[in-house]
């Protein structure tokens, strides 16, 4: 796919985080519940809000989420962590506490990480002589000729 933009990359990473949040948790081997099943009567349900469940992710969604997770391998460890925490919807304050960076620095790392993924999805690797600002500014215009 040749029309990747930073917005589409962000959307795909957010969908991947959402898909992984919907999957059932991993339980240890031999996990079981010894309590008997409790059957609720009609009177127990009167006045209660209906419990809605989201459908399980489809195999295609899981495959796309796994593919998006592999994109994080292209980034440095801290950049990948910031990008993933942001995709999961964590607020900037918690990210900055966890990573140990200021808010503007964490935002720059996040922008660079998303831009670098966009470059790599276009089959290009920016030169190490180029600045992070150049990578971020030109990530959405990769379909045009950029002189590296």
């Amino acid at each position: 796919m040749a029309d990747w933009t930073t917005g589409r990359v962000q959307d795909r990473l957010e969908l991947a985080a959402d898909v992984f949040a919907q999957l059932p948790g991993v339980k240890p081997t031999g996990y079981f519940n010894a309590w008997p099943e409790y059957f609720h009567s009609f009177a127990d349900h009167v006045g209660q809000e209906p419990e809605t469940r989201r459908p399980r992710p489809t195999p295609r969604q899981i495959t796309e989420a796994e593919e998006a997770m592999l994109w994080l391998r292209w980034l440095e460890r801290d950049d990948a962590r910031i990008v993933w925490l942001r995709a999961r919807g964590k607020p900037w304050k918690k990210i900055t506490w966890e990573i140990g960076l200021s808010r503007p620095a964490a935002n720059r790392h996040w922008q660079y990480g998303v831009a670098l993924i966009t470059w790599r999805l276009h089959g290009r690797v920016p030169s190490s002589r180029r600045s992070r600002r150049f990578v971020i500014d030109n990530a959405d215009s990769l379909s045009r000729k950029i002189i590296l």
Side-chain angles (χ1 to χ4, degrees):
M1 184 178 276
D3 55 344
W4 286 102
T5 63
T6 55
R8 292 193 66 203
V9 169
Q10 292 170 23
D11 291 341
R12 178 68 83 83
L13 287 169
E14 289 171 6
L15 286 173
D18 191 40
V19 165
F20 286 125
Q22 291 176 24
L23 292 176
V26 178
K27 296 179 181 176
T29 307
Y31 176 82
F32 67 95
N33 187 0
W35 286 88
E37 179 103 17
Y38 181 79
F39 294 102
H40 297 279
S41 67
F42 177 75
D44 293 334
H45 291 288
V46 171
Q48 301 293 319
E49 292 291 323
E51 186 177 316
T52 58
R53 293 186 209 158
R54 294 172 59 182
R56 298 265 180 187
T58 63
R60 180 178 178 165
Q61 289 174 323
I62 294 172
T63 303
E64 289 176 354
E66 289 172 346
E67 178 185 326
M69 285 294 293
L70 292 177
W71 297 344
L72 298 176
R73 293 182 304 164
W74 297 329
L75 306 176
E76 293 179 19
R77 196 178 114 228
D78 287 340
D79 293 346
R81 192 162 178 204
I82 291 169
V83 168
W84 183 246
L85 288 172
R86 199 63 193 141
R88 287 180 49 203
K90 285 260 189 164
W92 280 114
K93 187 171 243 182
K94 289 185 180 180
I95 292 173
T96 57
W97 287 346
E98 197 169 319
I99 301 296
L101 293 172
S102 67
R103 163 71 165 85
N107 189 25
R108 283 191 302 268
H109 281 270
W110 173 71
Q111 287 176 339
Y112 176 72
V114 172
L116 189 60
I117 290 172
T118 306
W119 276 72
R120 295 293 300 259
L121 288 172
H122 279 278
R124 303 175 78 175
V125 180
S127 173
S128 60
R129 292 177 284 161
R130 290 295 187 173
S131 67
R132 287 181 170 226
R133 176 55 43 200
F134 175 83
V135 173
I136 293 167
D137 290 343
N138 292 303
D140 285 331
S141 60
L142 288 172
S143 58
R144 292 183 281 147
K145 179 74 173 160
I146 298 173
I147 299 172
L148 298 175

